[in-house]
Amino acid sequence: MKKPHDKTTRMTQALRDGGVRVTRQREALLKVLTEAADHPDAAELHRRAKGIDDTVSLATVYRTLTVLEREGVVHRHSFESGGARFEVADPVHHDHIVDLDTGQITEFRNDKIEELQRLIAAEMGYEIVHHRLELYCRKLG
């Protein structure tokens, strides 16, 4: 797994590649993104970034997320439990479990599931280019 510094470097370069200046406000947002252990929405990212730099605007958060998503370094998720949520793109594919009662999102990776998906696609004459698996669950007991 990449270190946060590496993620920050990738996102900073993505902003430059996207033609966007790397301002103090955007640096605050990048810090929040790299430190997020959850999958926050734009409003929560804004709240956290304002804790670092109170001049960060919600418009800056949205514009920055749009560029980062377009450049492929941030993923937008639209889980059934709510609006768009964001995470820094991880070079290692993973899937998500969404707890229907708490809204908690848990990342997981399972080689058996990945292989089964490849086999199913191949049997049908396809090669997987991209996929997402989201399991919507409730805790047992």
Side-chain angles (χ1 to χ4, degrees), residues 39-42 62 76-86 105:
H39 298 72
D41 62 15
Y62 278 113
R76 172 191 305 258
H77 296 283
S78 296
F79 299 115
E80 288 178 12
S81 59
R85 313 263 300 243
F86 299 90
I105 299 165

Side-chain angles (χ1 to χ4, degrees), residues 1 7 10-11 30 32-42 45 48 65 68-69 72-79 84-97 105-108 130-134:
M1 189 170 204
K7 289 179 182 180
R10 285 187 302 135
M11 288 191 292
L30 298 186
V32 168
L33 280 164
T34 59
E35 293 177 355
D38 53 353
H39 298 72
D41 62 15
L45 288 167
R48 293 177 192 178
L65 288 171
L68 294 173
E69 183 181 7
V73 294
V74 165
H75 289 156
R76 172 191 305 258
H77 296 283
S78 296
F79 299 115
R85 313 263 300 243
F86 299 90
E87 72 175 326
V88 177
D90 191 337
V92 178
H93 171 78
H94 63 267
D95 297 304
H96 297 92
I97 291 177
I105 299 165
T106 304
E107 297 175 357
F108 73 95
H130 172 72
H131 79 281
R132 289 183 181 179
L133 175 62
E134 298 168 1

